[in-house]
Amino acid sequence: MKPRITVFPHAESLARNAADSIANFCRQTARSQGRADLVLSGGSSPLAAYELLAAEPYAGIMPWSYLNVFWGDERAVPPDHPQSNFGAWLSHGGNKWPLPPKQVHPMPGHMGAEQGAALYEDILRRRYGPSAQPRFDLVLLGLGPDGHFASLFPHVRALQEDSGWVAPIDAPSRIEPHLPRISLTPAAINGAKRVLFLAAGAGKAETLARILGPGAKPDPALPASMLRPKGEYLWYLDEAAARLL
């Protein structure tokens, strides 16, 4: 599906609109099907939205009793490590999300990339059964300056994965932190009902122009250009990031 792009004046407006979109979509989904499965992004892009969701008015909209949260990627570190995506979520509002532990499904980074990926794949397979793809309701993604999303860096083999849902990723040499990762694959993300990218800042502008601009084509050197969601496909950008579009 062709992406729908919305541009906001600044990063603060982007975060507030992202929180509003997340809360309302999860509420509507929970009402219609009795549960909502939300995949959280690592990195810095969504942290402000996570904090907003922990407070009113968004906290009163979120269907906490029906919400399950998963992660799109994780570093191969314990959850209390400074580089843990799970830890970043906790410290930016996640510790205030009123979710029972059984509804929170962090990637087991403490097990290492290979074992952690295998265990998370098993968790997802048991939840979604024999389907070709997991049917996440909403997947949040951020964009790296090299065009990566989740922990799918340029030219990694997992970009071509068409059956596995979770992959171990070698430590990147050009992106910090230089740590092995666990990541959902495009095969897992593409089945979501809605995929929402968040990108802010002038440093993303040139990469976004190559991914979303006229004539853009799938390119393994720009991982985000390889994604092809079957459901709604949204990009929320601030004006600085969108200046070349």
Side-chain angles (χ1 to χ4, degrees), residues 22-31 33-40 50 53 58-59 61-71 89 94 97-105 127-128 137-138 140:
I22 293 164
N24 281 291
F25 183 79
C26 287
R27 179 178 62 176
Q28 292 165 7
T29 300
R31 283 179 174 176
Q33 66 184 29
R35 79 179 193 189
D37 287 359
L38 170 64
V39 177
L40 302 178
Y50 296 162
L53 289 168
Y58 307 108
I61 299 172
M62 287 291 285
W64 302 114
S65 298
Y66 304 94
L67 184 70
N68 277 265
V69 294
F70 300 84
W71 268 260
W89 167 74
W97 290 22
L99 293 171
K102 67 179 182 179
Q103 293 172 214
V104 180
H105 311 278
R127 182 168 183 81
Y128 293 103
D137 294 303
L138 174 58
L140 302 179

Side-chain angles (χ1 to χ4, degrees), residues 134-186:
R135 287 290 285 166
F136 298 121
D137 294 303
L138 174 58
V139 176
L140 302 179
L141 295 171
L143 181 72
D146 60 352
H148 82 264
F149 64 98
S151 282
L152 298 172
F153 301 100
H155 300 293
V156 298
R157 286 181 296 174
L159 279 172
Q160 308 296 336
E161 180 60 60
D162 59 4
S163 58
W165 296 353
V166 189
I169 306 294
D170 292 337
S173 58
R174 298 184 179 182
I175 296 290
E176 294 184 350
H178 306 300
L179 293 166
R181 320 285 181 102
I182 302 167
S183 182
L184 295 184
T185 66

Side-chain angles (χ1 to χ4, degrees), residues 75-130:
R75 287 82 180 256
V77 296
D80 58 353
H81 191 281
Q83 298 294 346
S84 167
N85 286 335
F86 174 76
W89 167 74
L90 281 178
S91 63
H92 287 80
N95 60 343
K96 298 177 183 177
W97 290 22
L99 293 171
K102 67 179 182 179
Q103 293 172 214
V104 180
H105 311 278
M107 287 181 163
H110 64 285
M111 296 181 66
E114 292 281 348
Q115 290 187 8
L119 177 58
Y120 213 64
E121 175 103 18
D122 183 62
I123 290 170
L124 296 182
R125 295 280 178 181
R126 284 188 278 114
R127 182 168 183 81
Y128 293 103

Side-chain angles (χ1 to χ4, degrees), residues 14-16 18-19 22 45-54 92 97 140 198:
L14 187 158
R16 190 162 296 280
I22 293 164
S45 298
L47 296 180
Y50 296 162
E51 292 180 339
L52 289 169
L53 289 168
H92 287 80
W97 290 22
L140 302 179
L198 307 177

Side-chain angles (χ1 to χ4, degrees), residues 5 42 127 160 168 189 207:
I5 302 166
R127 182 168 183 81
Q160 308 296 336
I189 295 170
T207 300

